[in-house]
Amino acid sequence: MLECPTCGFANPVDGNFCGRCGARLTVGDTTHALPVIRDEAMRAEVDIDGAAAEVTPGTAALIVTRGFDSGIRYDLDKQSTTVGRSSGRDILLDDITVSRWHATFHVDDGDVVIEDHGSLNGTYVNRLLIEEPTVLKQGDEVQIGKFRMVLLVGDHGTV
């Protein structure tokens, strides 16, 4: 038993706070080290080449390579495709790391452009934070919150 230094109550040895008065029982450093998780180990096994072959010429799609929806494909078949945590978005990425209205993909004159909407965690293209609309190309990696997606363009050309 571990005696509370404030009220003297006998607490279990593995307790951190007193069961009677709520005072902290542990003294000193209670920091725990967490193991390092290598980024490569977290990547999903997604057949990017196979998925790219299925994209119709003149169109574009995103395939999720990391996140809860790994392997899911989203077609960019509209002029504007919204992304966010809110149910009103075209691409719903349901995680707290994604803002309700996080970003928009625009298809314009054969280009796919991504625009962040002032999201809290930002939007990354090839692991670089974007601050203005950014033109994407075949194979670019887009990160929104915990989700990583690769852009696929039919026939590896422009949309």
Side-chain angles (χ1 to χ4, degrees), residues 27-43:
V27 179
D29 187 13
T30 59
T31 303
H32 300 283
L34 298 175
V36 174
I37 298 174
R38 300 219 184 280
D39 188 43
E40 291 77 27
M42 295 294 290
R43 287 185 173 222

Side-chain angles (χ1 to χ4, degrees), residues 30-140:
T30 59
T31 303
H32 300 283
L34 298 175
V36 174
I37 298 174
R38 300 219 184 280
D39 188 43
E40 291 77 27
M42 295 294 290
R43 287 185 173 222
E45 293 297 324
V46 178
D47 180 13
I48 299 295
D49 293 331
E54 296 177 10
V55 178
T56 307
T59 65
L62 296 166
I63 188 161
V64 179
T65 58
R66 181 174 176 211
F68 306 118
D69 297 336
S70 290
I72 299 288
R73 177 180 143 174
Y74 296 104
D75 291 322
L76 301 177
D77 53 2
K78 300 185 334 183
Q79 190 173 18
S80 292
T81 303
T82 58
V83 181
R85 187 170 34 101
S86 174
S87 61
R89 302 295 156 232
D90 298 314
I91 298 176
L92 173 65
L93 299 177
D94 192 15
D95 186 74
I96 195 68
T97 61
V98 178
S99 296
R100 286 182 182 89
W101 184 34
H102 199 103
T104 300
F105 289 93
H106 302 282
V107 178
D108 187 34
D109 289 333
D111 290 328
V112 177
V113 177
I114 187 167
E115 177 182 8
D116 183 84
H117 294 294
S119 63
L120 183 61
N121 290 322
T123 299
Y124 295 80
V125 174
N126 299 324
R127 301 194 183 194
L128 298 173
L129 179 66
I130 63 166
E131 296 180 1
E132 55 190 50
T134 302
V135 177
L136 301 174
K137 63 185 182 315
Q138 169 71 18
D140 278 350

